[in-house]
Amino acid sequence: MLKLAPILIALIYGYTMYRFSAWRTKSNLNQNSTLLDDNKLRFLTDKMAKSLDLSEIKVNVYETDTVNGLAAPD
C-alpha cells in the first residue's frame, strides 16, 4: 500500500485542483456574462431549439476587456 501512496496522493491532488479550477471558472463566467440580447440571433437560436425539441437555448456573452492577441483582420 505504501508503494501506491504517492500515486494516490497525486491523483487526489490533481482531482482537487481540477474541481477548484472548475469552480473558479464557473463563478467567473457567472459574474462576467450576460444573456444574449439580439433579436436576429434570438430568432435563430429559437429555431434551433425547436428543431432539437428543446424549450430554449441559452446564449451568454462573456463581457471582458482583454483583447485576443492572435486575432487579425486577414
Side-chain angles (χ1 to χ4, degrees), residues 11-27:
L11 289 174
I12 292 170
Y13 177 76
Y15 180 74
T16 304
M17 292 306 294
Y18 165 76
R19 294 295 294 178
F20 180 71
S21 175
W23 172 76
R24 280 187 48 207
T25 302
K26 181 180 176 183
S27 66

Side-chain angles (χ1 to χ4, degrees), residues 1-13:
M1 184 65 183
L2 288 176
K3 290 181 182 181
L4 296 178
I7 295 172
L8 290 175
I9 290 171
L11 289 174
I12 292 170
Y13 177 76

Side-chain angles (χ1 to χ4, degrees), residues 10-53:
L11 289 174
I12 292 170
Y13 177 76
Y15 180 74
T16 304
M17 292 306 294
Y18 165 76
R19 294 295 294 178
F20 180 71
S21 175
W23 172 76
R24 280 187 48 207
T25 302
K26 181 180 176 183
S27 66
N28 187 7
L29 288 173
N30 286 337
Q31 289 175 358
N32 296 327
S33 64
T34 59
L35 283 175
L36 180 66
D37 191 25
D38 186 357
N39 290 333
K40 291 179 184 178
L41 289 175
R42 174 62 75 187
F43 173 75
L44 292 173
T45 57
D46 288 343
K47 192 174 178 180
M48 282 190 280
K50 184 178 179 184
S51 68
L52 294 170
D53 293 329

